[in-house]
Amino acid sequence: MDKFVIRGGNPLLGTIKVSGAKNSALPCMAAAILTADEVVLENIPQVRDIETERNLLTSMGAEVELGYGRAQHRTSIQCAVLSDPVAKYEIVKTMRASSLVLGPLIARTGIARVAMPGGCAIGGRPIDLHIKALEQMGAVITQEHGYLEARAPRDGAGRLKGAHIVFDKITVTGTEDILMAATLAEGETLLENCAREPEVTDLAALLIAMGARIEGAGTSTIRVHGVEKLHGARYRINPDRIEAGTFLIAGAITGGDLMVDCCDPSHLGSLIAKLEQAGVRLDIGEDSIRVRSEGAGGSGSTALKAVDISTEEYPGFPTDMQAQFMALATQSEGTSTVTENIFENRFMHVNELIRMGANITVSGRTATVRGRSPLQSAAVMCSDLRASAALVLAAMVADGESILDRVYHIDRGYERLEEKLRGVGAQIRRMGDVFGKR
Ligand code: EPU
């Protein structure tokens, strides 16, 4: 298993580029199921979850060519024949977002078999809201041997029926899954209490390019007029706002001067507001943000200041930035509180940060961080994608050489993180399994 070795102390200086958004690319790849034509996606990030989704689609009969390194990371997907409309447990267990194929599969083929995802490191993460919505659209869903089988109603020539769906709770992939299902349903579907994340808007833009009739994506009410067929399209995935946010904090925590390039600042409003409150200098351009800070070395007006954050659905503060912001809070002057409202168990990074010298206590959903702790290097364990990013940030300001184990979590969602950070002055390298595989 690969590890990262990180020596702290270097400010990040220069320009770092943001890749395409993993959480947009995943539903967009699933959307290709909705047509027999070729769908071409540009700016697909080169991360493990994308490879997992490729395997998922090819196991169903799709042809997928991941065009890494080619112009724009162009990827082509063609689901001419879906001979095996099944999302197998072996794949679903490694990536919960696999359940995104449920809606498009049943819409296109009238039947879907999808392994039930189990719990995961950050919480229970059920898919009951996807199921309930599909049932409202007439799907008959049964569960057997750990798999869900969903069938389109028999009386509608194998098509789902438009429905009025009000999500009990805001769910990102739930909104995306049902949005995809509704594009090919008979009649109109009205979705309320939808997720407003930019990734939903990204997916809707692709679906519209494929011929879908959708209004209101990016608001909490989405109206879909079902069509009989969708066609191929070419679409460019938006920049990854969480990767961009992670780099902004990397610049701030290391006391750097970093240009975060190829991002969309309009997707980063709540993080920008909190960073500015924390005393970080940001110059916001059209598709870049320059971040400047004195890091923990600042004093007076240049000191990093404690700020409270509380995660919420978009446009609130993203849960996917909570761990990284907590790393920053360990270096700020004063006491910050960090409240996690989206997932019940997303504080896995806390104990590792404490092992590095952070002063953090957790009570229920809130962590209290007493700042300006000098961090020391340590051997630490990555537990999930964003928790791991927080440990990378902490290690970049720790005294000495830290070793981060299980960096496969990072590889799931950050494209060549160590190369990008090394390019702006971080001392970070990847170390393979020295004993190899038996
Ligand atoms: N929920 C239910 N029932 C459902 C669906 C969700 O109770 O049927 C609950 C969840 O348990 C959670 C809340 O609703 O408490 C929100 O979950 P949501 O469905 O919005 O999360 P998700 O769609 O599974 C996506 C991202 C996550 C990100 C969350 C929240 C993708 C592939 N994943 O997950 O990203 O944290 O939205 O913004 O888009 C990551 O990239 O590291 C990551 C975990």
Side-chain angles (χ1 to χ4, degrees):
M1 255 185 277
D2 285 4
K3 299 177 176 41
F4 278 170
V5 183
I6 302 175
R7 179 184 289 277
N10 281 16
L12 299 191
L13 304 169
T15 299
I16 194 163
K17 282 198 169 148
V18 176
S19 300
K22 163 186 82 89
N23 288 349
S24 287
L26 291 172
C28 287
M29 288 174 77
I33 291 175
L34 292 163
T35 176
D37 297 346
E38 183 188 31
V39 172
V40 176
L41 299 171
E42 290 177 355
N43 208 25
I44 289 272
Q46 188 167 7
V47 298
R48 183 68 58 83
D49 275 7
I50 296 297
E51 280 163 31
T52 305
E53 179 133 358
R54 188 253 319 260
N55 295 342
L56 179 64
L57 294 174
T58 52
S59 75
M60 297 174 186
E63 284 179 36
V64 183
E65 197 188 333
L66 286 183
Y68 295 146
R70 288 198 317 191
Q72 317 285 348
H73 275 9
R74 189 171 297 142
T75 285
S76 134
I77 307 172
Q78 187 155 17
C79 301
V81 183
L82 289 164
S83 47
D84 197 13
V86 181
K88 298 187 179 66
Y89 180 62
E90 289 64 38
I91 296 182
V92 176
K93 75 176 180 195
T94 64
M95 188 181 73
R96 305 181 48 83
S98 307
S99 48
L100 276 168
V101 300
L102 180 60
L105 267 185
I106 180 172
R108 165 91 184 277
T109 68
I111 181 164
R113 285 192 79 226
V114 174
M116 299 274 291
C120 88
I122 61 176
R125 305 186 75 184
I127 55 164
D128 56 311
L129 302 176
H130 306 224
I131 296 169
K132 194 174 155 196
L134 287 172
E135 281 176 341
Q136 279 182 265
M137 298 174 81
V140 178
I141 300 189
T142 50
Q143 192 188 328
E144 229 177 49
H145 304 296
Y147 277 78
L148 285 178
E149 185 171 287
R151 284 179 185 271
R154 285 182 197 281
D155 58 343
R159 282 178 82 184
L160 294 170
K161 293 185 167 61
H164 180 188
I165 293 157
V166 183
F167 290 105
D168 291 339
K169 196 171 176 179
I170 297 176
T171 159
V172 178
T173 51
T175 301
E176 293 163 348
D177 204 11
I178 304 309
L179 176 60
M180 288 189 273
T183 57
L184 291 180
E186 207 181 314
E188 185 179 287
T189 301
L190 180 63
L191 302 172
E192 291 194 80
N193 201 25
C194 296
R196 293 178 285 165
E197 267 66 1
E199 293 74 24
V200 175
T201 318
D202 224 2
L203 169 66
L206 166 65
L207 292 170
I208 290 169
M210 291 168 69
R213 293 177 59 203
I214 299 170
E215 291 153 30
T219 74
S220 50
T221 302
I222 304 179
R223 199 179 286 274
V224 187
H225 305 268
V227 295
E228 280 194 15
K229 229 174 154 193
L230 294 180
H231 51 73
R234 176 180 291 257
Y235 184 71
R236 184 174 173 81
I237 303 292
N238 275 324
D240 194 311
R241 64 193 167 101
I242 306 301
E243 187 194 23
T246 305
F247 293 157
L248 289 178
I249 294 188
I253 198 171
T254 60
D257 182 349
L258 191 64
M259 184 66 88
V260 178
D261 199 12
C262 306
C263 65
D264 186 340
S266 73
H267 294 162
L268 288 158
S270 56
L271 175 66
I272 287 172
K274 288 294 176 186
L275 286 174
E276 285 180 336
Q277 238 176 296
V280 177
R281 282 177 66 191
L282 298 175
D283 299 311
I284 298 165
E286 207 171 299
D287 63 355
S288 64
I289 304 178
R290 180 177 177 190
V291 51
R292 277 176 286 176
S293 139
E294 301 288 325
S299 59
S301 65
T302 65
L304 281 175
K305 294 165 205 61
V307 170
D308 297 335
I309 61 157
S310 183
T311 62
E312 281 167 35
E313 294 87 0
Y314 189 85
F317 192 93
T319 171
D320 289 345
M321 285 304 305
Q322 177 259 107
Q324 301 90 314
F325 204 91
M326 195 184 296
L328 182 70
T330 68
Q331 300 306 296
S332 305
E333 210 168 72
T335 299
S336 314
T337 60
V338 174
T339 304
E340 172 57 52
N341 295 308
I342 307 294
F343 292 110
E344 67 264 33
N345 189 28
R346 212 173 193 184
F347 280 147
M348 306 279 282
H349 42 287
V350 168
N351 283 328
E352 300 302 287
L353 291 173
I354 291 173
R355 292 186 57 246
M356 297 177 77
N359 183 342
I360 308 173
T361 48
V362 175
S363 171
R365 287 184 172 273
T366 299
T368 302
V369 186
R370 291 180 181 79
R372 280 278 160 111
S373 304
L375 297 182
Q376 300 144 14
S377 59
V380 288
M381 194 72 89
C382 298
S383 54
D384 74 78
L385 177 57
R386 310 303 173 187
S388 317
L391 299 180
V392 170
L393 294 168
M396 286 196 298
V397 291
D399 181 15
E401 208 167 78
S402 298
I403 298 180
L404 272 64
D405 205 350
R406 300 195 178 166
V407 298
Y408 58 83
H409 288 292
I410 295 178
D411 296 333
R412 287 188 59 176
Y414 287 93
E415 180 173 309
R416 299 179 291 104
L417 182 66
E418 76 280 20
E419 283 177 39
K420 288 193 185 187
L421 291 174
R422 211 166 38 233
V424 288
Q427 297 192 75
I428 172 169
R429 67 194 154 86
R430 181 182 291 262
M431 212 168 67
D433 183 350
V434 281
F435 298 112
K437 285 200 178 70
R438 276 216 260 183

